[in-house]
Amino acid sequence: MQEYALHLEDNLFDLHDRLVNGAWTHGGYEEFRVCDPKPRTIHKAEVADRIVHHALCRVIEPIFDRSFIFDSWSCRTGKGNQGAVMRCHDNLKRISHHGKQPLWILKCDIKKYFENIDQRTLLGLMMRKIDDPQTQDLVNKIIASFKHGLPLGNLTSQLFANVYLNPLDHYIKDVLRPSFYIRYCDDFILAHPSKAWLMEQIPKISRYVTTRLHLTLHPNKIILRPFHQGIDWLGYTLFPDRRMMRPRTRKRLWKNIAVRMDEYFEGIQEGESLRSTFSSYDGILKVSWNGDERKRLECLRSCVL
């Protein structure tokens, strides 16, 4: 163990020296596939490179976070999927007076977002707020380390993805000015009492996304419907009087719990890890206001742990 610690320390000092001297170069990626819930290709950077990613994000994330709109909810401190769902639902209920007033929802997302991010445009957006030459060099090397777009798997990719769509956030919120706007990664919602008004915004948003960001709205995922019919958002369906977990999301949740419990009984997973799993899924069920399934989960937890 001591020998391993010394080896790790030597590697960290070597990495530090290469960063200071400008000699650091980004290595390659290990590629693998996951299904959660749909198939994705993940690219895992080498350990030393991941350390650089974390160090860089600690320095530059606060700089960029100040320019983000409040309702950008993906991969930001104190925010996330469940918070986005509750924030969206609360505002839709407020604007529609709990369904008593007409409210239309326009939902869009970007076609193959990470894969199609234009690296030159991203670099330009990053350089507007970074004036330190060494930091600029690191950002440039990390972006250029991948052939095109951004790799799913880098911590920096999460920050860069928010930076890239930040101009779109401000265009929609400050120029188009819907009654409500929220974005989670490349999935975003506009709300307005008028269906016609929202229809007029679709070509404007599409044109902005294409000309300014060199991206494309996914043509099969432009959805316009009234709030009272229910809006799918991040695994939940939102109605004026309730929010429900989508059936396939619920099915996947209980399947994952069964897998984690099997791993626990087989000695693969520690009890503390299983407790964390139960707590995480309890939070997911809490968002859907499903008291019966939360009781079922609590019963399992008390019987197993």
Side-chain angles (χ1 to χ4, degrees), residues 136-281:
Q136 289 178 340
D137 182 59
L138 284 180
V139 170
N140 190 20
K141 288 177 178 177
I142 291 172
I143 292 174
S145 69
F146 203 62
K147 187 175 181 180
H148 55 80
L150 290 176
L152 288 172
N154 283 358
L155 179 65
T156 49
S157 293
Q158 299 173 2
L159 173 60
F160 294 168
N162 275 334
V163 171
Y164 200 84
L165 287 184
N166 189 44
L168 175 65
D169 292 340
H170 284 281
Y171 172 70
I172 293 176
K173 189 173 178 65
D174 302 333
V175 179
L176 301 184
R177 299 177 67 84
S179 300
F180 178 66
Y181 170 74
I182 189 169
R183 178 176 63 81
Y184 187 91
C185 194
D186 63 318
D187 192 349
F188 57 92
I189 277 179
L190 292 79
H192 197 273
S194 169
K195 177 183 179 181
W197 186 88
L198 285 171
M199 290 183 66
E200 291 173 0
Q201 310 316 308
I202 296 173
K204 296 177 185 177
I205 295 170
S206 179
R207 185 163 53 249
Y208 187 95
V209 165
T210 301
T211 59
R212 299 291 186 90
L213 302 176
H214 311 290
L215 297 169
T216 306
L217 291 183
H218 198 303
N220 299 328
K221 295 184 179 180
I222 299 174
I223 298 169
L224 181 61
R225 61 187 302 167
F227 181 33
H228 71 266
Q229 290 185 2
I231 304 301
D232 278 350
W233 175 244
L234 305 180
Y236 298 85
T237 305
L238 311 181
F239 295 90
D241 61 343
R242 65 196 185 278
R243 53 179 179 254
M244 303 168 55
M245 189 181 297
R246 286 199 304 240
R248 64 176 178 268
T249 305
R250 181 182 293 106
K251 182 178 179 180
R252 189 170 69 251
L253 179 147
W254 288 110
K255 180 180 178 180
N256 288 342
I257 289 173
V259 170
R260 300 295 184 272
M261 290 176 64
D262 286 344
E263 291 175 347
Y264 171 71
F265 287 123
E266 293 170 6
I268 299 173
Q269 184 171 180
E270 298 289 336
E272 190 59 38
S273 177
L274 185 59
R275 288 188 186 90
S276 297
T277 297
F278 277 125
S279 296
S280 174
Y281 287 134

Side-chain angles (χ1 to χ4, degrees), residues 6 20 35 70 81-83 105 116 119 127 138 159 162 164 178 191 206 216 226 255 299 301:
L6 290 173
V20 170
C35 292
F70 180 85
N81 182 293
Q82 296 168 35
I105 312 297
N116 289 322
Q119 293 186 349
M127 294 304 106
L138 284 180
L159 173 60
N162 275 334
Y164 200 84
S206 179
T216 306
K255 180 180 178 180
C299 182
R301 173 163 39 192

Side-chain angles (χ1 to χ4, degrees), residues 13 29 34 72 78 106 119 125 166 179 219 227 251 279 284 303:
F13 278 119
Y29 290 91
V34 298
S72 166
L106 171 64
Q119 293 186 349
L125 291 170
N166 189 44
S179 300
F227 181 33
K251 182 178 179 180
S279 296
I284 294 172
C303 291

